[in-house]
Amino acid sequence: MPPIIRTEGLRKVYRVGHEKVVALDNVNIAIEPGEMCCIVGTSGSGKSTLLNQLAGLEKPTRGQVYIGKHEISAMSESELAKFRQAHLGFIFQSYNLLPSLTAAENVAMPLMFKGVGQKQRMEMARQELAKMGLAKRAGHKPTEMSGGQQQRVGIARAFVARPRVIFADEPTGNLDTATTKQVLYQMLQMAKEAGITFVMVTHEPRLAGCADRVITIQDGRVLSDVLEPPQIVEKNRRELFAGLYDGPEGQSKQKEDEST
Ligand code: ADP
Ligand code: MG
């Protein structure tokens, strides 16, 4: 199968005063449809820069980024905005929920851009929240929810319109260990179920164990790009998600969230 995401000679230079910061240098990667891909590396290595390039949030200094057959690095800002709304989803470390909207209204946002009517999009949003164990939180505002709950709302929002690719930059960075596992597990399950390609930045190598592909960035270059054997990924997932994970055929043990 042709890759869903591909870069060619990708380079990104930031100018800070008279200084030049080479954040990415000659990055050539390819991610296959349906893959769970982790981008790892130390702080400042260029992970977020790479994710922003892949997601069309920033323009490269040199080189190309393709999503499917579309060269997103050649699109105008307005073309990019439309492309992102139609095909891409995002999950942020700081959740980025709109504080004045309820959980369901936040989740329904991407559907509005797709022209889904008010009644149907609220229904779809509630269904997506229920999958995340948040059916009873649909009417809550972000400030009335814990960090883990807010991030699950963020996940529901990213998935609700079934984009081709979802990008996440340190999505569990603000969460404790138990919540991290739960949130990661849910993202993975949802992506696998819907066949969505999932690209996640993390600085925690432990979390990358559940990925099909692990791309390690160092000083803006690809240090390694490893496609893990499926049996190893399966074993790592079992260990990481012990108690949550029943294997590929199993059902999620996630229950309705009763915690506050
Ligand atoms: P990571 O996500 O791996 O921590 P980043 O991609 O955020 O790393 O940053 C890579 C390098 O690029 C760092 O040296 C950082 O300081 C620099 N950088 C990132 N964004 C900008 C920016 N907007 N302006 C200037 N320098 C930046
Ligand atoms: Mg970063």
Side-chain angles (χ1 to χ4, degrees), residues 47-49 169-170 201:
K47 303 182 297 296
S48 294
T49 305
D169 193 348
E170 313 239 14
V201 163

Side-chain angles (χ1 to χ4, degrees), residues 46-58:
K47 303 182 297 296
S48 294
T49 305
L50 177 56
L51 197 82
N52 291 344
Q53 295 288 326
L54 300 181
L57 295 170
E58 282 179 37

Side-chain angles (χ1 to χ4, degrees), residues 108-182:
M109 285 294 278
L111 297 170
M112 194 163 81
F113 296 126
K114 287 203 151 181
V116 180
Q118 149 88 11
K119 207 170 158 218
Q120 196 191 346
R121 62 177 190 259
M122 290 309 286
E123 180 52 34
M124 289 169 76
R126 274 190 282 270
Q127 279 176 20
E128 211 64 23
L129 282 169
K131 278 193 203 162
M132 299 301 297
L134 289 172
K136 295 194 174 132
R137 311 283 158 183
H140 288 216
K141 299 269 173 71
T143 49
E144 299 160 352
M145 289 181 281
S146 69
Q149 288 170 339
Q150 288 183 64
Q151 191 55 303
R152 279 147 60 201
V153 174
I155 295 167
R157 179 183 56 185
F159 278 92
V160 73
R162 297 289 177 269
R164 292 178 71 189
V165 186
I166 291 179
F167 296 96
D169 193 348
E170 313 239 14
T172 60
N174 289 332
L175 306 176
D176 61 51
T177 309
T179 314
T180 289
K181 281 187 189 180
Q182 197 185 39

Side-chain angles (χ1 to χ4, degrees), residues 14 16 21 23 42-49:
Y14 292 110
V16 185
V21 179
T42 53
S43 178
S45 56
K47 303 182 297 296
S48 294
T49 305

Side-chain angles (χ1 to χ4, degrees), residues 2 25 60 65 68 114 127 140 153 178 181 202 204 206 233 236:
D25 192 17
V65 179
K114 287 203 151 181
Q127 279 176 20
H140 288 216
V153 174
K181 281 187 189 180
T202 177
E204 296 183 66
R206 185 177 63 90
V233 177
N236 290 345

